[in-house]
Short mmCIF file of all heavy atoms in Angstrom, two decimals:
data_model
loop_
_atom_site.label_atom_id
_atom_site.label_comp_id
_atom_site.label_asym_id
_atom_site.label_seq_id
_atom_site.Cartn_x
_atom_site.Cartn_y
_atom_site.Cartn_z
N ALA A 79 91.05 90.09 90.88
CA ALA A 79 91.53 90.69 89.64
C ALA A 79 92.88 91.35 89.88
O ALA A 79 93.11 91.96 90.93
CB ALA A 79 90.52 91.72 89.15
N PRO A 80 93.82 91.24 88.94
CA PRO A 80 95.13 91.85 89.12
C PRO A 80 95.03 93.36 89.26
O PRO A 80 94.21 94.01 88.60
CB PRO A 80 95.88 91.47 87.83
CG PRO A 80 95.12 90.31 87.26
CD PRO A 80 93.71 90.51 87.67
N ALA A 81 95.88 93.92 90.11
CA ALA A 81 95.91 95.38 90.28
C ALA A 81 96.57 96.03 89.07
O ALA A 81 97.43 95.44 88.42
CB ALA A 81 96.69 95.74 91.55
N ARG A 82 96.14 97.23 88.76
CA ARG A 82 96.74 97.98 87.68
C ARG A 82 98.06 98.58 88.12
O ARG A 82 98.34 98.68 89.31
CB ARG A 82 95.78 99.08 87.20
CG ARG A 82 94.52 98.52 86.57
CD ARG A 82 93.57 99.64 86.18
NE ARG A 82 94.18 100.57 85.21
CZ ARG A 82 94.24 100.35 83.91
NH1 ARG A 82 93.72 99.24 83.40
NH2 ARG A 82 94.79 101.23 83.09
N GLY A 83 98.87 99.01 87.15
CA GLY A 83 100.17 99.58 87.47
C GLY A 83 100.43 100.84 86.66
O GLY A 83 99.64 101.22 85.80
N HIS A 84 101.57 101.46 86.95
CA HIS A 84 101.96 102.67 86.23
C HIS A 84 103.44 102.64 85.84
O HIS A 84 103.93 103.55 85.19
CB HIS A 84 101.72 103.91 87.11
CG HIS A 84 102.52 103.87 88.37
ND1 HIS A 84 102.10 103.22 89.52
CD2 HIS A 84 103.74 104.38 88.66
CE1 HIS A 84 103.02 103.35 90.46
NE2 HIS A 84 104.02 104.04 89.96
N GLU A 85 104.14 101.57 86.21
CA GLU A 85 105.57 101.49 85.99
C GLU A 85 105.91 101.19 84.53
O GLU A 85 105.03 100.92 83.72
CB GLU A 85 106.18 100.40 86.89
CG GLU A 85 106.10 100.71 88.38
CD GLU A 85 104.82 100.18 89.01
OE1 GLU A 85 103.88 99.85 88.26
OE2 GLU A 85 104.77 100.11 90.25
N VAL A 103 98.63 93.35 76.71
CA VAL A 103 98.05 93.09 78.02
C VAL A 103 98.54 94.09 79.05
O VAL A 103 97.76 94.67 79.82
CB VAL A 103 98.40 91.65 78.49
CG1 VAL A 103 98.09 91.47 79.96
CG2 VAL A 103 97.64 90.62 77.65
N LEU A 104 99.86 94.32 79.08
CA LEU A 104 100.41 95.22 80.09
C LEU A 104 100.00 96.67 79.85
O LEU A 104 99.78 97.42 80.81
CB LEU A 104 101.93 95.08 80.15
CG LEU A 104 102.41 93.70 80.63
CD1 LEU A 104 103.93 93.68 80.73
CD2 LEU A 104 101.78 93.34 81.97
N GLU A 105 99.89 97.08 78.60
CA GLU A 105 99.37 98.42 78.34
C GLU A 105 97.93 98.55 78.83
O GLU A 105 97.55 99.59 79.39
CB GLU A 105 99.45 98.74 76.85
CG GLU A 105 100.83 99.18 76.39
CD GLU A 105 100.83 99.76 74.98
OE1 GLU A 105 99.92 99.40 74.19
OE2 GLU A 105 101.74 100.55 74.67
N ASP A 106 97.15 97.50 78.64
CA ASP A 106 95.75 97.53 79.10
C ASP A 106 95.68 97.66 80.62
O ASP A 106 94.70 98.19 81.15
CB ASP A 106 95.02 96.27 78.66
CG ASP A 106 94.72 96.25 77.16
OD1 ASP A 106 94.83 97.32 76.53
OD2 ASP A 106 94.40 95.17 76.63
N TYR A 107 96.71 97.17 81.32
CA TYR A 107 96.73 97.28 82.78
C TYR A 107 97.43 98.55 83.27
O TYR A 107 97.68 98.69 84.46
CB TYR A 107 97.41 96.04 83.39
CG TYR A 107 96.46 94.87 83.55
CD1 TYR A 107 96.33 93.91 82.55
CD2 TYR A 107 95.67 94.74 84.69
CE1 TYR A 107 95.45 92.85 82.68
CE2 TYR A 107 94.79 93.70 84.83
CZ TYR A 107 94.68 92.75 83.83
OH TYR A 107 93.79 91.69 83.97
N GLY A 108 97.75 99.46 82.36
CA GLY A 108 98.24 100.77 82.76
C GLY A 108 99.74 100.98 82.71
O GLY A 108 100.21 102.07 83.01
N TYR A 109 100.50 99.96 82.34
CA TYR A 109 101.95 100.07 82.33
C TYR A 109 102.44 100.78 81.07
O TYR A 109 101.80 100.74 80.02
CB TYR A 109 102.61 98.70 82.41
CG TYR A 109 102.32 97.97 83.69
CD1 TYR A 109 101.29 97.02 83.76
CD2 TYR A 109 103.05 98.21 84.85
CE1 TYR A 109 100.99 96.35 84.94
CE2 TYR A 109 102.76 97.54 86.03
CZ TYR A 109 101.74 96.62 86.07
OH TYR A 109 101.45 95.96 87.24
N ALA A 195 99.62 89.71 84.36
CA ALA A 195 99.47 90.98 85.08
C ALA A 195 99.65 90.79 86.58
O ALA A 195 100.26 91.63 87.26
CB ALA A 195 98.10 91.58 84.78
N ARG A 199 102.74 92.46 88.86
CA ARG A 199 102.44 93.27 90.04
C ARG A 199 103.12 92.71 91.29
O ARG A 199 103.64 93.46 92.14
CB ARG A 199 100.92 93.33 90.26
CG ARG A 199 100.44 94.33 91.27
CD ARG A 199 100.63 95.74 90.78
NE ARG A 199 101.79 96.37 91.41
CZ ARG A 199 102.44 97.38 90.86
NH1 ARG A 199 102.10 97.85 89.68
NH2 ARG A 199 103.48 97.90 91.48
N LEU A 202 106.91 93.54 91.12
CA LEU A 202 107.16 94.96 91.36
C LEU A 202 106.93 95.33 92.82
O LEU A 202 107.70 96.10 93.41
CB LEU A 202 106.24 95.81 90.47
CG LEU A 202 106.64 95.86 88.98
CD1 LEU A 202 105.53 96.49 88.16
CD2 LEU A 202 107.93 96.62 88.80
N ASP A 203 105.89 94.78 93.42
CA ASP A 203 105.60 95.10 94.82
C ASP A 203 106.56 94.46 95.81
O ASP A 203 106.62 94.84 96.97
CB ASP A 203 104.17 94.68 95.16
CG ASP A 203 103.13 95.60 94.52
OD1 ASP A 203 103.51 96.70 94.07
OD2 ASP A 203 101.95 95.20 94.45
#
Side-chain angles (χ1 to χ4, degrees):
R82 294 177 60 82
H84 61 275
E85 295 90 345
V103 167
L104 294 183
E105 280 192 335
D106 288 345
Y107 276 93
Y109 297 97
R199 191 70 258 156
L202 286 169
D203 288 344

